[in-house]
Amino acid sequence: MSEGTMQRRAQRDQRDQRAKRLNRVLVCAAAVPVMLVAAGCSSDSGSGDSTDKAEKAAASASASPEPTVQAAAYSKLPEPCKAFSKKTLKDLVPESKSGKEGKSDDISTRGSCSWNSLDNNGVKGSQFRWLNVSMLRFESDVTRGPADKLAQQYFEKQVQEAQAVEGAKSVKTEPVTDTGDQATAVHYDLKKKEGTFKQQTIVARVENVVVTLDYNGAGLAGDKTPSGGDMLKDAKKAAKEAVAAVSEANGTGGGKASGSPSKSPSTSPSKSASKEASDEPSKDASKSPSKKPAAKS
């Protein structure tokens, strides 16, 4: 074999080796993106799972429990016309034969009763008395609050209304003790053509019930004006009886002194007595009596 032939064969061998090395490089280079893509897919899948778990955890943490509110302590009212003893009625409205119960669309949440008394002494004049008791019971409401707080707000409004009666003279306000959770007396004079009326209004709250007692009187046809102090004393006694009747109707036998029933969370919606306090009509303390006074409603 000549020298030229050997040199050409050596050159072909070198070219073949370079071609093989180039093919191996290209094959490896092509494999790299595939591995990266595979790795990327694996990474994305793991990231998606983590995101789902994080979102579920956040949603669980942000979910709040259903709102609750303290349940009302008292669930019913007594019969308003049976709120007072016979002796109390005899002392306050001696000539009254029976009480007149007010209309109510729900006797478990509101009720009232009134009594008229006219002691006619002929030419010596006569003594007129009027007694009214109203009761309003509140239910707890998840949006407006617990029943006792709603009752307290209404209690305050009733006191303010009693203090602002048109034409009232010498208005005085004082606290009343041993009558529910809180009680206030408002008393004043109201002059009418028939005579001077002595008005006593006592507003009391026991738990989630508000009791409003109105008691007024006048000496007619020349008879003497009754003592405001004596009437206030009688009104306080009657208010205390009415509050006790509310507690007894709910099985606590005597109200605050005997303790309040246990309470538990509730989400019950408000009933008719849980409406705005303005639903309850304001009371005019001074209807003018006639020969046969009509019961005030």
Side-chain angles (χ1 to χ4, degrees), residues 32-44:
V32 169
V34 175
M35 295 175 64
L36 291 175
V37 170
C41 292
S42 177
S43 176
D44 289 345

Side-chain angles (χ1 to χ4, degrees), residues 44-236:
D44 289 345
S45 176
S47 175
D49 291 342
S50 300
T51 302
D52 290 343
K53 291 179 180 179
E55 289 177 353
K56 290 179 181 180
S60 177
S62 62
S64 57
E66 292 185 5
T68 60
V69 66
Q70 197 74 18
Y74 290 161
S75 60
K76 55 186 176 180
L77 295 175
E79 294 183 48
C81 290
K82 295 181 180 180
F84 307 116
S85 66
K86 291 182 179 180
K87 182 180 185 308
T88 295
L89 292 174
K90 185 67 176 177
D91 291 342
L92 274 65
V93 281
E95 299 303 317
S96 178
K97 302 303 180 183
S98 62
K100 181 180 179 181
E101 186 169 353
K103 294 181 180 180
S104 174
D105 55 357
D106 184 357
I107 59 174
S108 72
T109 58
R110 64 176 67 213
S112 65
C113 191
S114 61
W115 295 260
N116 280 316
S117 174
L118 183 64
D119 184 8
N120 192 342
N121 295 310
V123 296
K124 295 182 179 180
S126 58
Q127 287 290 323
F128 171 76
R129 299 289 185 275
W130 177 74
L131 173 66
N132 183 85
V133 64
S134 66
M135 303 174 183
L136 188 64
R137 185 181 67 82
F138 289 83
E139 281 284 355
S140 294
D141 184 272
V142 293
T143 59
R144 298 181 62 220
D148 58 342
K149 297 299 182 183
L150 297 175
Q152 184 175 7
Q153 293 171 6
Y154 182 69
F155 165 86
E156 293 169 355
K157 182 178 179 180
Q158 286 290 88
V159 172
Q160 292 171 0
E161 288 185 357
Q163 294 170 326
V165 171
E166 185 177 356
K169 303 295 183 182
S170 304
V171 180
K172 295 181 180 179
T173 303
E174 61 183 75
V176 179
T177 59
D178 300 324
T179 305
D181 294 292
Q182 56 186 147
T184 298
V186 180
H187 47 99
Y188 51 83
D189 295 344
L190 202 59
K191 290 186 178 181
K192 295 287 186 179
K193 63 181 181 179
E194 295 87 355
T196 298
F197 286 76
K198 295 288 186 178
Q199 170 68 32
Q200 327 295 319
T201 297
I202 297 180
V203 185
R205 179 185 70 83
V206 55
E207 295 290 358
N208 56 306
V209 177
V210 176
V211 176
T212 304
L213 182 138
D214 288 297
Y215 183 48
N216 67 37
L220 308 179
D223 205 346
K224 65 180 181 178
T225 301
S227 166
D230 290 343
M231 291 191 68
L232 179 59
K233 182 179 180 181
D234 288 340
K236 288 180 179 179

Side-chain angles (χ1 to χ4, degrees), residues 218-272:
L220 308 179
D223 205 346
K224 65 180 181 178
T225 301
S227 166
D230 290 343
M231 291 191 68
L232 179 59
K233 182 179 180 181
D234 288 340
K236 288 180 179 179
K237 175 185 175 183
K240 189 172 184 178
E241 277 190 31
V243 167
V246 173
S247 297
E248 289 167 4
N250 288 274
T252 58
K256 189 177 179 183
S258 300
S260 302
S262 59
K263 303 175 183 179
S264 58
S266 169
T267 56
S268 61
S270 60
K271 295 184 180 178
S272 59

